[in-house]
Amino acid sequence: MNHLFLYLAVATSFLAQGQSAVQKLNSLDHQFEELIEKSNNYKQYKVIEEKQIHILHENTNKRIEKLNEKIATLKNSVTKKDNRIVTLESKLAALNTKLTDVNTEKDSLNFLGIQTSKGVYNTIVWSILAMLTFLFIFMSLRFKSSNMTTKAANKQLQTIEEELEAFRHKSIEKEQKLGRQLQDERNKLSKMKGDKF
C-alpha cells in the first residue's frame, strides 16, 4: 500500500511539472477539467496534488484580475461617452440660442449694419436656418448614437459583472469541494496510519 502512494506521488509530481506551463495557456474551465481528469483515483475519490490546486488558484486570480481590468476599462469608456453627451447637449443648447437670435433678427431688415432687401435678407436668413437645422439634426443623431452606445456598454458591463459573479461563485464552490475532499483523504490517511500502530 505504501508503494502505491509512493508511485502516485511520483507520477503526480511529473505530471504537475509537465502540465504547469501548458495550464497557463489553457482556459480556466479546461484547466479544471484537466485537473480532475489527470488526478489519481483512490476508491471513489479523486486525489489532487496541492501544488496543482495552487497553480489553478493562481490562474483563476489572474483571470479575475484581467476581468476587473476590463470592467474598469468599460466603466472609463462609459464615463467618456457620458462626458461627450454632456458636451453635445451644451452645444445643442448653444445652437438653440443661436436659432432664437436668428429668428429675432429675421424681422429686421438691417443686416450687419447694411440695409438689405427682403429677398436677400430672407435668402440669407433661410440659408442660416438650413445650416443650423442640418447641424441640429446632425448633433441629434450623434447624441442618439452616443446614447445607444452608452446603453449597449452598460448592458455589456452588467453581463460581464453577472458572468464574473457566477464564475466566482462556481470557483468558490469547486475550491470548497476540493478542500473537503482533500480533508477527507487526509482524515482517512491518518486513520489508516493510526490503525497500523
Side-chain angles (χ1 to χ4, degrees):
M1 191 65 148
N2 286 337
H3 294 299
L4 176 64
F5 283 116
L6 180 63
Y7 290 133
L8 289 175
V10 171
T12 306
S13 67
F14 281 122
L15 283 173
Q17 290 173 359
Q19 295 298 324
S20 63
V22 174
Q23 283 180 347
K24 290 180 182 177
L25 301 175
N26 294 336
S27 71
L28 290 175
D29 285 337
H30 183 71
Q31 289 179 33
F32 274 112
E33 291 169 8
E34 191 173 306
L35 181 67
I36 293 170
E37 287 175 14
K38 298 223 174 172
S39 63
N40 297 316
N41 289 330
Y42 177 72
K43 294 185 181 179
Q44 75 266 22
Y45 301 104
K46 290 281 191 177
V47 178
I48 300 172
E49 187 177 341
E50 189 174 354
K51 179 181 177 184
Q52 289 179 336
I53 292 174
H54 288 301
I55 289 170
L56 185 58
H57 182 257
E58 182 180 319
N59 290 343
T60 303
N61 285 339
K62 286 179 184 177
R63 178 66 177 147
I64 290 171
E65 286 175 15
K66 286 180 183 177
L67 288 173
N68 285 336
E69 289 172 7
K70 189 173 182 180
I71 289 169
T73 303
L74 288 173
K75 283 182 180 178
N76 189 21
S77 174
V78 168
T79 302
K80 286 180 182 177
K81 288 180 182 182
D82 286 344
N83 291 339
R84 247 192 286 172
I85 289 171
V86 169
T87 303
L88 290 173
E89 286 175 345
S90 66
K91 286 181 181 179
L92 184 61
L95 286 174
N96 285 335
T97 303
K98 285 181 183 179
L99 185 60
T100 303
D101 292 344
V102 168
N103 285 332
T104 304
E105 290 176 6
K106 186 176 84 168
D107 295 335
S108 172
L109 292 176
N110 189 5
F111 186 71
L112 298 175
I114 302 170
Q115 288 296 106
T116 57
S117 68
K118 280 191 169 187
V120 173
Y121 178 77
N122 284 336
T123 303
I124 292 171
V125 169
W126 283 109
S127 298
I128 290 172
L129 285 174
M131 199 164 39
L132 288 175
T133 303
F134 172 76
L135 287 174
F136 178 76
I137 291 170
F138 178 73
M139 294 304 244
S140 296
L141 292 175
R142 285 193 53 132
F143 174 76
K144 277 186 178 180
S145 174
S146 295
N147 195 19
M148 289 171 65
T149 304
T150 301
K151 286 181 181 178
N154 282 335
K155 187 174 182 181
Q156 184 180 11
L157 176 64
Q158 182 181 5
T159 303
I160 288 173
E161 286 176 346
E162 289 171 0
E163 288 175 0
L164 178 62
E165 188 59 36
F167 178 74
R168 283 182 181 161
H169 183 69
K170 187 176 178 182
S171 295
I172 289 170
E173 285 180 356
K174 283 186 178 181
E175 188 174 330
Q176 288 173 348
K177 183 179 177 183
L178 291 174
R180 286 192 298 268
Q181 289 176 352
L182 181 62
Q183 187 60 43
D184 289 345
E185 290 301 320
R186 285 181 179 162
N187 290 343
K188 284 183 181 181
L189 183 61
S190 66
K191 185 176 181 182
M192 287 173 62
K193 285 182 180 178
D195 290 344
K196 286 184 180 180
F197 292 115

